[in-house]
């Protein structure tokens, strides 16, 4: 999804239209600055969602239309299951130790210091645990991809 936020992408231009040029830089939308704004202000979060969620949904539909198989990273999936559940065949949740996840949320420097993923999640999904390095996460994810693709051929 980060692809749509790159310069001249549909998300980049929508951020300028919705929040102004101070929320983009020379290469992409400034996600950290946007995060600070929206996660401290429910009205601004609603404004972001109304602007961006339709773009993301259409982007995913376009990917599905043009590809037999595709993997889409969508960090906000579990926050908006009702909007995305019909678009995906399989869901993978990457989780780590609670203290690691909470630390990442705190590092975001938002006033609301809560993990946005709410448990329990009432949907079938595959969970990959990442309490190790990025390299180990990549190995686990590749194993899942290989296993998933071989079962669906």
């Amino acid at each position: 999804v980060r692809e749509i936020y790159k310069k001249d992408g549909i998300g980049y231009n929508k951020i300028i239209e919705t929040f102004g040029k101070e929320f983009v830089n020379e290469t992409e939308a400034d996600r950290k600055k946007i995060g600070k704004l929206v996660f401290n202000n429910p009205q601004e979060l609603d404004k972001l969602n109304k602007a961006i969620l339709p773009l993301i949904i259409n982007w995913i539909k376009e990917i599905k239309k043009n590809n037999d198989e595709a993997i889409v990273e969508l960090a906000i999936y579990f926050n908006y299951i009702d909007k995305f559940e019909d678009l995906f065949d399989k869901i993978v949740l990457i989780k780590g130790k609670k203290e690691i996840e909470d630390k990442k949320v705190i590092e975001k420097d938002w006033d609301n210091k809560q993990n946005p993923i709410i448990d329990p999640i009432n949907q079938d999904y595959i969970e990959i645990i990442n309490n190790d390095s990025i390299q180990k996460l990549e190995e686990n994810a590749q194993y899942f991809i290989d296993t998933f693709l071989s079962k669906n051929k």
Side-chain angles (χ1 to χ4, degrees):
V1 172
R2 289 184 182 187
E3 200 63 33
I4 70 168
Y5 291 106
K6 291 190 177 176
K7 185 173 184 172
D8 297 324
I10 55 173
Y12 182 94
N13 294 327
K14 195 62 151 177
I15 293 297
I16 292 172
E17 180 184 315
T18 306
F19 297 109
K21 288 184 179 181
E22 63 271 19
F23 288 90
V24 300
N25 59 41
E26 310 79 47
T27 60
E28 63 188 2
D30 189 334
R31 293 173 50 244
K32 188 169 188 167
K33 191 180 276 188
I34 295 165
K36 278 186 164 186
L37 173 70
V38 302
F39 292 111
N40 295 329
N41 185 326
Q43 291 82 16
E44 295 296 329
L45 179 59
D46 188 54
K47 187 166 43 168
L48 175 68
N49 288 336
K50 286 179 178 169
I52 297 297
L53 286 176
L55 300 179
I56 294 171
I57 290 167
N58 289 336
W59 179 75
I60 293 168
K61 287 179 179 178
E62 193 66 25
I63 289 172
K64 288 187 75 160
K65 185 173 99 178
N66 295 323
N67 297 279
D68 291 333
E69 297 172 342
I71 296 172
V72 176
E73 181 273 330
L74 187 64
I76 62 170
Y77 178 87
F78 289 109
N79 302 83
Y80 303 99
I81 290 174
D82 61 315
K83 298 192 182 320
F84 295 115
E85 65 186 335
D86 294 335
L87 298 175
F88 294 95
D89 299 317
K90 297 284 182 196
I91 307 302
V92 177
L93 174 61
I94 300 172
K95 289 189 81 172
K97 291 180 183 173
K98 183 174 178 0
E99 57 268 14
I100 293 171
E101 290 180 352
D102 290 347
K103 181 181 177 201
K104 288 179 183 177
V105 171
I106 289 169
E107 287 171 355
K108 298 281 187 191
D109 196 26
W110 301 332
D111 288 343
N112 178 3
K113 302 291 189 196
Q114 295 179 353
N115 190 332
I117 297 177
I118 301 165
D119 287 312
I121 299 164
N122 295 321
Q123 187 171 15
D124 289 335
Y125 62 93
I126 297 163
E127 191 171 282
I128 296 177
I129 303 297
N130 180 36
N131 291 325
D132 208 329
S133 66
I134 293 293
Q135 180 181 355
K136 186 66 175 171
L137 172 61
E138 288 172 354
E139 290 170 12
N140 289 340
Q142 189 61 54
Y143 175 78
F144 162 76
I145 292 165
D146 295 343
T147 303
F148 175 73
L149 292 178
S150 69
K151 286 182 179 179
N152 290 298
K153 286 189 177 183

